Structures are given as C-alpha cells and as structure tokens.
Amino acid sequence: MFNINKLCLFSCLCVIVIIVLYFQSEIARLEENYRKLEFRLLQTHSESRQFFPKSLEKNDDDSIVIYNRVPKTGSTSFVGVAYDLCKRNNFKVLHINITANRHIMSLSNQYKFAQNVTKWYEMKPALYHGHMAFLNFERLGATSKPIFINLIRKPLDRLVSYYYFLRNGDNYRPHLVRKKHGDKMTFDECVERSQPDCDPNNMWLQVPFFCGHAAECWIPGNQWALEQAKHNLVNHYLIVGVTEQMLDFITVLEATLPRFFRGATEYYLNSNKSHLRQTSAKIEPNSLTVEKIQESTVWKMENELYEFVLEQFNFVKRKLLAREANNVAQIYFYEKIRPK
C-alpha cells in the first residue's frame, strides 16, 4: 500500500515538472518572438527616418516614360501596343485618371505626381499615359526627369473626328451612348450655322498640351503659348510623332527605347492595333467648310505646330532609319582614350 502511494506521488511530481517545463519553453518562445517583433519595429522606424532613396536591385531599371496623350490622335491604338508588350518586356503601364477628365492638375497635385512617379520604385520601369498637359519636373523639384513622348494630328482632322465621336461613338465601345447622341447635324451644317461645337477655338488643344499648365497656355490663339509649346517639344520630348505616320513613330521608338518597345513594330503590323479605335459615321467636311475653318487664327497656329512637329519627326526619322552608302546603319564608338 505504501509503495502505491509513493508511486502516485512520484507520478504527480513528474506531471507537475512536465507542465512547468512546457510553460517555461512557451514563455521563452514568446519572449523570443517579442524580441524579433521589437527589432522589426525598430528597424522599420529607422528606415522611415531615412530620406535618401532606396537603392534599386542590380537588374532593376529606373526609366519612366510619360505619354501625355492628346485626345483623338490615335492614342488608344498606341497604348494598346504598350499594354500588350508590357509583360513581355517587363515594364508597368499605368493610366493617369484626373477628376472629370480635366487636362490640367492643381498645383498641389502637380507636385505630388512628380514626386510620386519618380520615387515609386516598385512601379519602375513604367509607362504612364493620360490626357494631361505637359509638366516640367525640374520646376516641381523632382530628383529625376521622365522621358516624354507624344503624337499629334492635323488639327481639323482631329476636330472633325471629335465632333462625330461625341455623336456616334466609335468601334471600340460601340454600345456606349455619347454626350451628343441623337444629334444628326453634320459638321458642314454646324459650321454653316456657326454653332459652338464646331467653333475653331475648339481646335485649341494640341498647343496647350505641349505648352503646359500656365494660364496663358489655355487662351485660344495666344502666341506665347505656341512658342512655349515648340520650346517644350524640342527641349523636353524625346520624340513626337504624327498620327498619319503611326507605324514610323513606333519603329523610331523601338530603335530608341528597346527597353520598352522591343518587338513593337512587328506586333503592330501583325495585330489589329493599327485600327483599334475609329470614329463611327464620320463625314469629311466639304471644301467650303475647310476654307472657312482655315481662315481662323486658331487653325493657323495649331497647324503651325503640326507642321513644326512633322518637320522635326521626319528629320529624326531620316537620321535614325537612314543607311550609309554601303547599307550599314549608323553607329558610334570611342577611341584615342587617354591615359592608357
């Protein structure tokens, strides 16, 4: 009987010891997890106080391309190519959506946007696109400058396309009811009756898109705006093409920015992107309408910008795609390097 009691007592002690050891190990484990968590919080707090940019991985690319697309210039077709190539060429494509489809940002949003896109490392390399006016990143204190590209179209063609687009839509989203749906007035009739929808001042869009966010940029017929648009085009844009030469524009981009546009020319030729979006039931204006529109100051200035872009683009295209006498593409190399 005595031995049985001793055995029971011993068993109870063993159980108690096991329970104590278990709780001690759990307490030690919890303390270790707490120390790890405390270290991570301290590390995070420390990193948040560092104001220098994070270093990129060796294989990362820091490039940013901004396509501030002008409405009704074939931009949907071009962006479609970028979206289809982004996975293959390993870059991001992001659409810039501004409230109420406005083309200019508030000053605070200009600053935030410039800081955001240049420091959003997880999204690099990236192509941003949206219907917005040019932004000078240097003026906004950004540490790096994006690469700007764009397309431009003959001003009257763009206006006529937009006029019928508001009434008839397009083949991209044919069932979407547009703002002027049901209005059967032709563009010729609109001009003849001097209606506001065909006012030549409505062409004043490509100039301000290249001019930027200054108030003068958006005054129709402003001469300073035209000169500023030309200045920005030459000094801040890598390349500006014309809608009528979309294929050549894509070819130039592939040759210049293969990081983004490798394979773009072949893809554009062999896909349906070349005719992705076309305005429905568009009627070309008659000669009297064209003559009347071309008398306006706004058309003359918008057309001057178009001709300026066309001349610049053809110059770049000839130099880039031209072959030497022996059919060899232009190259450059370094020599006579000193000291050896």
Side-chain angles (χ1 to χ4, degrees):
M1 184 71 178
F2 180 75
N3 290 335
I4 293 175
N5 290 336
K6 287 174 64 177
L7 183 61
C8 290
L9 182 60
F10 180 75
S11 299
C12 290
L13 288 172
C14 288
V15 170
I16 292 171
V17 169
I18 291 172
I19 292 173
V20 170
L21 291 173
Y22 171 78
F23 278 106
Q24 283 182 338
S25 66
E26 285 297 299
I27 291 171
R29 184 178 65 82
L30 290 172
E31 287 177 344
E32 178 65 16
N33 288 341
Y34 177 80
R35 282 193 294 270
K36 289 179 179 178
L37 180 61
E38 191 177 39
F39 174 77
R40 288 172 184 168
L41 288 172
L42 183 63
Q43 189 178 40
T44 303
H45 180 67
S46 175
E47 288 177 355
S48 68
R49 295 174 63 86
Q50 296 174 350
F51 292 95
F52 52 85
K54 297 179 182 178
S55 59
L56 298 174
E57 296 295 328
K58 185 176 292 184
N59 293 328
D60 281 351
D61 192 321
D62 204 29
S63 300
I64 302 168
V65 175
I66 293 183
Y67 171 36
N68 63 314
R69 47 195 282 196
V70 181
K72 307 310 296 176
T73 58
S75 60
T76 300
S77 297
F78 176 72
V79 167
V81 174
Y83 272 110
D84 288 342
L85 288 177
C86 64
K87 188 173 183 179
R88 182 196 307 178
N89 290 343
N90 192 29
F91 66 92
K92 303 289 195 303
V93 181
L94 301 89
H95 178 229
I96 308 160
N97 195 335
I98 304 174
T99 305
N101 293 320
R102 296 188 182 278
H103 302 319
I104 56 175
M105 290 181 173
S106 66
L107 184 60
S108 60
N109 278 334
Q110 292 176 46
Y111 180 79
K112 291 174 186 175
F113 176 74
Q115 300 300 319
N116 180 255
V117 299
T118 54
K119 296 178 181 178
W120 195 0
Y121 301 107
E122 294 80 4
M123 285 293 127
K124 294 182 180 181
L127 185 151
Y128 291 82
H129 68 96
H131 295 312
M132 58 178 286
F134 168 75
L135 275 175
N136 189 330
F137 275 58
E138 288 182 6
R139 169 178 166 270
L140 296 166
T143 54
S144 59
K145 290 177 60 177
I147 300 167
F148 276 90
I149 62 172
N150 215 328
L151 278 165
I152 196 170
R153 187 177 183 180
K154 291 179 179 179
L156 181 54
D157 289 355
R158 199 199 66 78
L159 178 62
V160 171
S161 179
Y162 187 66
Y163 178 88
Y164 285 108
F165 171 75
L166 291 179
R167 287 154 176 78
N168 307 323
D170 54 30
N171 59 353
Y172 184 64
R173 288 185 289 182
H175 303 296
L176 183 62
V177 177
R178 301 292 173 176
K179 185 165 61 175
K180 296 284 185 175
H181 178 74
D183 183 359
K184 302 299 182 182
M185 184 185 299
T186 68
F187 187 80
D188 291 328
E189 292 168 341
C190 180
V191 171
E192 185 179 357
R193 300 172 190 176
S194 300
Q195 296 296 302
D197 282 356
C198 52
D199 188 322
N201 284 349
N202 294 335
M203 281 185 291
W204 190 256
L205 191 64
Q206 297 184 134
V207 168
F209 256 65
F210 286 93
C211 177
H213 280 66
E216 292 84 357
C217 295
W218 298 88
I219 300 174
N222 186 287
Q223 185 63 38
W224 178 87
L226 175 59
E227 298 307 319
Q228 186 64 29
K230 292 179 179 179
H231 173 83
N232 290 339
L233 194 148
V234 170
N235 291 282
H236 297 291
Y237 281 81
L238 175 68
I239 185 68
V240 179
V242 294
T243 304
E244 297 78 14
Q245 299 184 40
M246 176 79 78
L247 177 59
D248 290 340
F249 176 64
I250 290 174
T251 302
V252 169
L253 280 173
E254 181 174 2
T256 309
L257 292 175
R259 175 65 186 82
F260 290 86
F261 297 102
R262 183 180 295 108
T265 303
E266 182 180 358
Y267 179 79
Y268 183 76
L269 285 170
N270 297 315
S271 71
N272 62 349
K273 298 300 178 184
S274 58
H275 302 288
L276 181 61
R277 190 170 198 165
Q278 292 181 321
T279 300
S280 301
K282 182 173 65 176
I283 303 171
E284 294 300 322
N286 62 40
S287 58
L288 291 177
T289 298
V290 172
E291 184 178 342
K292 187 173 182 179
I293 292 291
Q294 290 182 351
E295 290 174 354
S296 68
T297 300
V298 167
W299 178 86
K300 291 174 182 176
M301 297 178 75
E302 281 276 336
N303 192 64
E304 183 178 335
L305 180 67
Y306 174 83
E307 294 293 341
F308 181 80
V309 168
L310 183 62
E311 181 181 4
Q312 298 295 320
F313 178 68
N314 285 335
F315 178 80
V316 169
K317 184 176 66 173
R318 284 194 303 270
K319 295 297 182 183
L320 182 65
L321 304 181
R323 298 273 176 169
E324 302 298 334
N326 56 359
N327 203 36
V328 176
Q330 183 191 73
I331 62 170
Y332 73 92
F333 55 91
Y334 303 103
E335 62 179 3
K336 298 179 181 179
I337 302 172
R338 299 293 185 273
K340 293 184 177 180

